């Protein structure tokens, strides 16, 4: 393809994504009213799941072919909480995550129009659900825990062809893991980061969601 007009058309219609993206996922931050107060629903993943069993998460999963990230978030929430999609009202988007292994996690915010006592989740995917008052999350910052990630020099790479390649040594990076403790449940990792990002939007006076 050497015709500039063909290139202009192809690049003009292209929607940018991370290079080497290995998968796209979508989650919903589900807001629900409990005794007149707004809460966020969290899931404890089923123990039988192969990936991240018994961890705390938001409803969500992989985006299927032909659906938008928003559609995926609603579908997954419906499947996991066993509620009709008509009871899920998406009110906006929150900040999303790009994981180191080239995975994207889109985040939406929605209102669950159902009595919390009537929600019996899909036991194949969810061990149980619990809620946290939004007020609690607004008033309590997550705790942060630095974790060391070591990157080591490997054999086979042509270090001699890059500037000072022979001096290239292993290095260490720091990743921060965040966590909220609420009663007997620990909300941590990407779910905690997503929660914190959402709360920051609410606190930001310049945000359209404030």
């Amino acid at each position: 393809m050497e015709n500039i007009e063909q290139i202009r058309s192809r690049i003009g219609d292209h929607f940018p994504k991370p290079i080497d993206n290995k998968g796209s996922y979508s989650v919903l931050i589900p807001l629900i009213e409990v005794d007149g107060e707004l809460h966020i629903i969290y899931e404890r993943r089923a123990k039988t799941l192969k990936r991240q069993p018994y961890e705390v998460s938001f409803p969500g999963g992989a985006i299927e072919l032909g659906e938008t990230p928003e559609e995926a978030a609603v579908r997954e929430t419906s499947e996991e909480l066993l509620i009709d999609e008509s009871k899920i009202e998406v009110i906006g988007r929150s900040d999303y995550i790009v994981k180191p292994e080239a995975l994207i996690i889109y985040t939406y915010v929605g209102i669950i129009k159902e009595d919390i006592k009537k929600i019996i989740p899909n036991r194949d995917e969810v061990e149980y659900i619990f809620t946290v008052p939004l007020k609690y999350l607004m008033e309590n910052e997550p705790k942060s825990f630095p974790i060391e990630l070591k990157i080591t020099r490997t054999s086979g790479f042509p270090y001699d062809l890059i500037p000072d390649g022979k001096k290239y040594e292993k290095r260490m990076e720091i990743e921060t893991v965040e966590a909220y403790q609420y009663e007997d449940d620990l909300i941590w990792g990407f779910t905690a980061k997503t929660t914190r990002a959402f709360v920051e939007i609410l606190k930001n006076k310049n945000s359209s969601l404030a």
Side-chain angles (χ1 to χ4, degrees), residues 92-155:
R93 295 173 293 179
S94 188
D95 295 333
Y96 62 92
I97 286 175
V98 179
K99 298 177 68 174
E101 54 267 45
L103 298 176
I104 303 175
I105 305 176
Y106 296 97
T107 306
Y108 290 82
V109 181
I111 300 172
I112 305 301
K113 300 177 179 180
E114 181 61 281
D115 187 334
I116 187 65
K117 297 177 182 178
K118 294 182 179 180
I119 299 178
I120 302 175
N122 182 348
R123 299 302 183 190
D124 290 334
E125 299 187 59
V126 183
E127 197 75 18
Y128 64 85
I129 62 173
F130 65 95
T131 69
V132 179
L134 182 57
K135 182 179 179 182
Y136 174 88
L137 296 167
M138 296 282 287
E139 295 175 350
N140 293 274
E141 297 285 339
K143 294 183 178 179
S144 298
F145 305 91
I147 293 181
E148 296 180 353
L149 302 176
K150 293 183 179 180
I151 301 175
T152 59
R153 177 170 178 159
T154 58
S155 61

Side-chain angles (χ1 to χ4, degrees), residues 39-50:
H39 284 227
I40 293 179
I41 298 174
Y42 292 90
E43 297 178 347
R44 175 72 71 176
R45 291 167 60 84
K47 296 178 181 178
T48 54
L49 293 177
K50 293 181 179 180

Side-chain angles (χ1 to χ4, degrees), residues 19-41:
I19 294 174
D20 296 332
N21 174 233
K22 296 179 181 178
S24 296
Y25 297 79
S26 192
V27 301
L28 184 81
I29 299 177
L31 297 170
I32 192 167
E33 192 171 296
V34 179
D35 297 328
E37 183 180 0
L38 276 179
H39 284 227
I40 293 179
I41 298 174

